[in-house]
Amino acid sequence: MNGELFSTISVETWVSVVFLAGAGLLLIWHGRQLRRSWETVRVLQQRLARFQVLVEKSSDGISLIDPEGVILYASPSTTRVMGYTPDELVGQDCLDLVHPEDRPRVQTRLRELVSHPERDVTVECRCLHRDSSWLWLFCTGNNRLDEPGVRALVVNFRDISARKKAEEELLASRARLQALSRQLITAQETERRKVARELHDEIGQVLTLVTINLQGLKSSCSEEAAGRIDESIATVGQAIEQVRDLSLTLRPPMLDDFGLASALRWYVDLQKQRIDFEVQLEAQTSGERLPGEVEAACFRVVQEALTNAARHAQPRHVWIDLTQSEEEAELTIRDDGIGFDLPEARRRALQGGSLGLLGMQERVELLGGSFSIETSPGQGTVVRARLPAQSSGSPEKEGEEREGA
Ligand SMILES: Nc1ncnc2c1ncn2[C@@H]1O[C@H](COP(=O)(O)OP(=O)(O)OP(=O)(O)O)[C@@H](O)[C@H]1O
Ligand SMILES: [Mg+2]
């Protein structure tokens, strides 16, 4: 039955049926393809719109530049950052907008960005705003020269002028504080020298005169009174000794006359009479003198570290090492005492609880040196200071420091 039906349909009819079926399938397939393409276009349009919003509303400026620095594209947000419209910037050499002092640095970073595509490059530089003021910009560059459709260096930039101004103010106020500290230290040394001289010359002389007078009186008085006078002479003698020591400790003249190593030897010998632990001083010097400021700072560091050891450490032994060359002085003061909690001591010192540790550090760092303390409870203490001969102080001041002795 079916065979009969097929045989009655002509070949042309069969061809038409097959053709129509094929065309129908093709249409369906095309329709699907079209729907997919529309979907793709819609997604792309959405992405483009988002991208545009991001670029336009971004607080950063975004630009594309070629390897020579010529601006190929500038985002609308550039106007917010730098005042220029994108059209004003496209075609310009971006280096023309950079402050002349910063240009070599920016050029170097640009070359780095081109030659090392794998690295992101950042730079901070001053750029000319449209209103002729200088802006500080933080720029990040990203090499997309090999990316089809981009073929440029992508540069994001952000206005950091407010941060830079705050940093500059902070640096200026730190410099002012440092200058003030230096002046205070110099004034303190000058004052010590003056007081030391007055103690020695004025009070020392008066006490010596009292001794001479007392001795003169002795011959003309009773035996009992002479005994009292002898006691007084001995007491005044002790006072003379104390005034002398005090005067020398305030500002040892040998520090100015014979140098650091001699002053330290004298100081350690003096302390040995007062303390109940061993002190060992090793001084290796090239024989050359260091600037007065540096020698004074080293002396004060040893003085404070040894006083601290005597007051707080309960040591059996203290070792002082000085290595002095034409270039620098290196000091180590080590004790085998009880040690201490350094962060806690620093915290107390910063709240005004003490001056010694901060004073040592301040003196050394003001002269461009480095200072450190190693300690912990039960471990003893090591104080280290390294001071360069070429301090950042003015030569006049250094001269003054020695001359005034
Ligand atoms: N060598 C040391 N061994 C043990 N403790 C120490 C030593 N050096 C310092 N310290 C501790 O650190 C604290 C701070 O020392 P710092 O020299 O600043 O102050 P201070 O000696 O107490 O007073 P000053 O201001 O007169 O120097 C001391 O009070 C002490 O507790
Ligand atoms: Mg102290």
Side-chain angles (χ1 to χ4, degrees):
M1 179 69 188
N2 277 351
E4 276 173 34
L5 183 64
F6 279 119
S7 61
T8 56
I9 298 170
S10 69
V11 173
E12 288 83 1
T13 311
W14 272 115
V15 169
S16 306
V17 167
V18 170
F19 177 76
L20 281 174
L25 283 173
L26 207 63
L27 267 176
I28 292 168
W29 183 78
H30 265 297
R32 283 202 184 136
Q33 286 298 98
L34 213 59
R35 252 206 317 277
R36 273 198 203 127
S37 302
W38 280 340
E39 186 59 20
T40 313
V41 168
R42 201 185 58 77
V43 169
L44 282 176
Q45 272 177 336
Q46 196 181 38
R47 280 192 194 160
L48 195 65
R50 283 180 184 162
F51 170 74
Q52 255 175 340
V53 169
L54 278 178
V55 169
E56 281 168 22
K57 303 294 172 199
S58 160
S59 57
D60 289 8
I62 302 166
S63 64
L64 300 179
I65 60 173
D66 75 7
E68 267 71 51
V70 175
I71 301 170
L72 307 172
Y73 166 83
S75 68
S77 55
T78 306
T79 315
R80 247 194 318 280
V81 182
M82 298 183 72
Y84 306 97
T85 63
D87 288 346
E88 286 173 309
L89 290 177
V90 171
Q92 270 213 52
D93 184 343
C94 69
L95 287 166
D96 289 344
L97 298 169
V98 176
H99 192 285
E101 284 173 17
D102 299 345
R103 216 168 279 160
R105 202 157 36 88
V106 175
Q107 250 163 343
T108 310
R109 304 300 274 160
L110 188 63
R111 277 197 294 272
E112 213 177 302
L113 184 61
V114 174
S115 54
H116 295 284
E118 73 287 358
R119 285 189 211 155
D120 279 1
V121 163
T122 60
V123 69
E124 291 182 0
C125 60
R126 282 160 291 176
C127 285
L128 192 64
H129 190 276
R130 199 172 191 281
D131 66 10
S132 301
S133 63
W134 289 105
L135 281 178
W136 268 103
L137 294 185
F138 177 78
C139 309
T140 312
N142 187 257
N143 187 329
R144 294 299 169 103
L145 287 170
D146 288 340
E147 194 167 309
V150 183
R151 302 248 180 254
L153 307 170
V154 182
V155 180
N156 287 49
F157 47 93
R158 170 178 304 175
D159 182 2
I160 53 162
S161 306
R163 196 195 83 197
K164 278 282 172 187
K165 190 161 175 268
E167 276 174 14
E168 276 162 17
E169 278 167 9
L170 198 69
L171 282 177
S173 91
R174 193 177 297 164
R176 277 198 300 276
L177 273 179
Q178 285 192 336
L180 193 66
S181 290
R182 261 187 110 117
Q183 279 171 15
L184 277 176
I185 287 173
T186 309
Q188 191 190 42
E189 287 297 326
T190 311
E191 197 58 26
R192 278 172 184 239
R193 208 182 270 127
K194 200 171 134 215
V195 174
R197 199 175 289 150
E198 273 173 19
L199 271 176
H200 181 266
D201 296 353
E202 307 289 331
I203 303 184
Q205 297 297 332
V206 169
L207 291 175
T208 310
L209 205 68
V210 172
T211 315
I212 294 167
N213 283 346
L214 286 173
Q215 263 158 357
L217 271 179
K218 239 172 80 174
S219 54
S220 59
C221 61
S222 68
E223 208 170 301
E224 193 199 339
R228 289 270 182 86
I229 287 174
D230 275 340
E231 278 171 27
S232 303
I233 290 173
T235 311
V236 174
Q238 278 171 9
I240 290 175
E241 278 293 298
Q242 281 168 1
V243 166
R244 194 177 141 271
D245 284 355
L246 190 60
S247 158
L248 287 172
T249 310
L250 267 173
R251 177 73 196 192
M254 50 282 264
L255 186 56
D256 300 300
D257 299 338
F258 303 112
L260 180 59
S262 304
L264 287 180
R265 273 189 211 104
W266 163 80
Y267 182 69
V268 166
D269 285 343
L270 181 72
Q271 294 307 310
K272 275 181 182 166
Q273 299 160 22
R274 302 172 174 172
I275 53 184
D276 56 359
F277 53 86
E278 287 286 316
V279 186
Q280 203 170 311
L281 169 69
E282 287 283 336
Q284 288 172 25
T285 66
S286 62
E288 291 291 325
R289 294 290 302 271
L290 292 169
E293 267 188 312
V294 176
E295 289 190 342
C298 289
F299 184 81
R300 297 296 175 209
V301 166
V302 172
Q303 205 174 15
E304 175 61 26
L306 193 56
T307 305
N308 275 353
R311 277 176 69 189
H312 311 296
Q314 302 158 34
R316 275 180 295 132
H317 216 121
V318 174
W319 296 265
I320 301 169
D321 283 307
L322 164 71
T323 313
Q324 184 188 326
S325 66
E326 278 172 51
E327 289 81 36
E328 63 172 17
E330 203 182 331
L331 274 172
T332 311
I333 303 102
R334 183 163 66 88
D335 71 56
D336 59 358
I338 57 173
F340 63 105
D341 180 346
L342 182 60
E344 172 60 18
R346 281 222 169 100
R347 199 184 53 74
R348 256 189 299 122
L350 285 170
Q351 287 171 350
S354 71
L355 271 179
L357 297 181
L358 294 183
M360 285 193 277
Q361 181 158 5
E362 177 85 349
R363 270 181 177 275
V364 173
E365 289 180 353
L366 274 176
L367 295 173
S370 59
F371 179 86
S372 68
I373 297 180
E374 285 161 36
T375 186
S376 57
Q379 294 300 309
T381 301
V382 187
V383 175
R384 285 201 175 86
R386 195 182 212 132
L387 284 113
Q390 287 305 314
S391 77
S392 44
S394 65
E396 292 84 0
K397 262 190 200 159
E398 285 159 14
E400 264 170 34
E401 175 108 354
R402 192 124 56 209
E403 253 169 48

